Amino acid sequence: MADTGTSDRPTRPALNREHIVAAARGLIDKVGLDAFTMRTLGRELGVDPMAVYHYFPNKAALFDAVVELTYMDIELKQSPDAPWDEAVFTFASTMRTSMRAHPHVLPLVATRPVNTAPVGLVIEAAAARLVSAGAAPRDALGIVNCIAAFVIGHLMADVVEPIGGPEAPSPGPELFERTDMPTLMAAIAAGWTWDADRTFELGLSAMIAGFGAKYGLADAD
Amino acid sequence: MADTGTSDRPTRPALNREHIVAAARGLIDKVGLDAFTMRTLGRELGVDPMAVYHYFPNKAALFDAVVELTYMDIELKQSPDAPWDEAVFTFASTMRTSMRAHPHVLPLVATRPVNTAPVGLVIEAAAARLVSAGAAPRDALGIVNCIAAFVIGHLMADVVEPIGGPEAPSPGPELFERTDMPTLMAAIAAGWTWDADRTFELGLSAMIAGFGAKYGLADAD
DNA sequence: ACCTGAACACCGTTCAAGT
DNA sequence: ACCTGAACACCGTTCAAGT
């Protein structure tokens, strides 16, 4: 029993930043952003709510850490033999998948610019691939920024839970049965229905193709 | 002095939805989303905070109205002789300008999908122009959706005030002086600096060009 | 150092009441 | 109908205190 200092199983694992951030995101996933509270987080951790303030100065800083964690989820492995446009397409899809796994976190991602290494590495990975296809670094950064904006903007329209509780009455087709919206009416009459995945892929490939043409991007053979 | 019923100048104008929504957005513009409160709104209106609940069931419904108001700001006039791609470009720029005038409202716009006539009319205007360039209604709606997603996503990265207060430490170039971010380093070394307007126009025109090529869009002569 | 608990200055919203 | 005001069940955060 020569236990040296670090006791083996405390009934609750000792608190630390990593553990708190993971619990915070899990709780946000479970109850939503509005019901997430320093107090409910404390309860979840089995600890006094104030204990968290020893690791984060305030709720905003904790939010930043949650956003950062979500950026770290993005898989940056590249298949190095894929052509540049396919590689960039995959990058954006991967980013979307990671973010989509935490819908309630999305408003934070869209809203809290984090200027930390994990985000930098995500941008770097995509930009580097564009440079290797012939883009100037500054152009590559602009392109990546636009693609990320599209990913996030599209996700917001797709999955986000409104800030400050719901309250949106259902879309209701009656709204669109108006003579001043002929295009909407025509599309609905033709059986049109919203397909987020498909729309995302269309917009993404349009943007990539447009950039490719504009900057004359191509892989060396 | 035969004043019939409607007295001419009440010391405070009678409350009504329009007036409340305008005051709410003005207050959000002035103090930000976090400091905006049913109580501060009451003070701004010179009225008991609870008076607003006679016109809106809750804060969320009021937020929806603010978002709707901001969509109504978008100028939908078209110059009918402009080519389709220029018209769509102008549409997106106009949308961006209207939204950018109310930075603190943006998280609400991005986050609260409103399915009301004003938003429908905005979508309709852009979609109709695409149909007249040869797009099928369903494709036109997909395109407009993607463009709107880009507009909002780009604005979020551009001007938004983080939800739940600031706390982001400054970007700091020291972050980017790392060997694992060569592209970022190279761009900074080459004097690269973030230009939101320019990046927006690049992304937008890339996307429009890509869609034009994909769907073979062109105006009839 | 790490965590607790009381306290402060707020919230959104309900409800009964006033006019 | 329109507006008031007290009250309820919460917040985030400060601060002094415990170990």
Side-chain angles (χ1 to χ4, degrees):
Chain A
M1 294 291 191
D3 203 336
T4 57
T6 55
S7 145
D8 256 7
R9 22 175 160 69
T11 47
R12 324 269 152 122
L15 238 38
N16 60 59
R17 281 183 57 103
E18 247 184 275
H19 183 210
I20 291 172
V21 176
R25 191 174 69 174
L27 188 54
I28 292 172
D29 285 342
K30 195 164 58 181
V31 303
L33 214 43
D34 286 337
F36 172 85
T37 277
M38 295 306 269
R39 286 161 142 101
T40 57
L41 176 60
R43 215 166 305 152
E44 183 83 2
L45 290 165
V47 106
D48 187 281
M50 288 301 102
V52 173
Y53 283 87
H54 195 73
Y55 299 87
F56 296 91
N58 50 42
K59 204 187 184 189
L62 179 54
F63 278 166
D64 282 339
V66 168
V67 171
E68 194 175 328
L69 173 64
T70 303
Y71 269 97
M72 289 192 285
D73 280 353
I74 300 173
E75 180 62 71
L76 296 183
K77 299 281 161 284
Q78 309 245 14
S79 38
D81 41 324
W84 74 270
D85 49 356
E86 194 181 310
V88 171
F89 187 97
T90 300
F91 157 76
S93 299
T94 305
M95 177 172 169
R96 176 167 184 261
T97 302
S98 296
M99 307 277 212
R100 222 182 120 90
H102 306 280
H104 290 117
V105 175
L106 249 168
L108 299 180
V109 171
T111 237
R112 306 193 64 82
V114 291
N115 305 294
T116 52
V119 181
L121 288 172
V122 169
I123 293 169
E124 173 67 30
R129 190 62 188 84
L130 286 161
V131 168
S132 82
R138 57 186 310 138
D139 295 333
L141 290 181
I143 293 171
V144 172
N145 180 268
C146 286
I147 287 173
F150 174 66
V151 170
I152 290 174
H154 192 273
L155 271 178
M156 293 296 271
D158 184 9
V159 297
V160 140
E161 197 81 357
I163 299 172
E167 192 63 15
S170 70
E174 64 286 355
L175 167 67
F176 299 110
E177 280 156 15
R178 300 171 40 146
T179 53
D180 54 352
M181 304 184 187
T183 308
L184 284 170
M185 268 190 67
I188 290 169
W192 176 75
T193 184
W194 170 253
D195 181 338
D197 291 347
R198 198 177 123 76
T199 307
F200 172 75
E201 286 172 13
L202 284 172
L204 178 58
S205 49
M207 193 178 248
I208 291 174
F211 276 126
K214 169 154 232 145
Y215 292 108
L217 302 181
D219 291 313
D221 297 302
Chain B
M1 294 294 188
D3 203 336
T4 57
T6 54
S7 145
D8 256 6
R9 22 176 160 67
T11 46
R12 323 269 152 123
L15 237 39
N16 60 58
R17 282 182 58 102
E18 246 185 278
H19 183 209
I20 291 171
V21 177
R25 191 174 68 175
L27 188 54
I28 291 172
D29 286 342
K30 195 163 59 179
V31 304
L33 214 44
D34 287 336
F36 173 83
T37 278
M38 296 306 268
R39 287 160 142 100
T40 57
L41 176 60
R43 215 168 306 154
E44 183 83 0
L45 290 165
V47 106
D48 186 281
M50 287 304 103
V52 173
Y53 284 85
H54 194 73
Y55 299 88
F56 296 91
N58 50 43
K59 203 187 182 188
L62 180 54
F63 278 165
D64 282 338
V66 168
V67 171
E68 195 175 327
L69 173 65
T70 304
Y71 269 97
M72 290 192 284
D73 281 352
I74 300 173
E75 181 62 71
L76 296 182
K77 300 280 162 285
Q78 309 243 16
S79 38
D81 42 323
W84 75 268
D85 49 355
E86 194 182 310
V88 172
F89 187 96
T90 301
F91 158 76
S93 299
T94 305
M95 177 172 170
R96 176 168 183 259
T97 302
S98 296
M99 308 277 212
R100 222 182 120 92
H102 306 279
H104 291 117
V105 175
L106 250 167
L108 299 180
V109 171
T111 238
R112 306 194 65 82
V114 291
N115 305 295
T116 53
V119 181
L121 289 172
V122 168
I123 293 169
E124 172 67 29
R129 190 63 188 84
L130 285 162
V131 168
S132 81
R138 56 187 310 136
D139 294 333
L141 290 180
I143 294 171
V144 173
N145 181 269
C146 286
I147 288 173
F150 175 64
V151 171
I152 290 174
H154 192 271
L155 271 178
M156 293 296 272
D158 184 8
V159 297
V160 141
E161 197 82 356
I163 299 172
E167 193 61 17
S170 70
E174 63 286 355
L175 166 66
F176 299 110
E177 280 156 16
R178 300 171 40 146
T179 52
D180 53 352
M181 303 185 187
T183 307
L184 283 170
M185 267 189 68
I188 290 168
W192 175 75
T193 182
W194 170 254
D195 181 339
D197 291 347
R198 198 177 124 75
T199 308
F200 172 75
E201 287 172 12
L202 284 172
L204 177 57
S205 48
M207 193 177 248
I208 290 174
F211 276 126
K214 169 154 230 146
Y215 292 107
L217 301 181
D219 291 311
D221 296 303

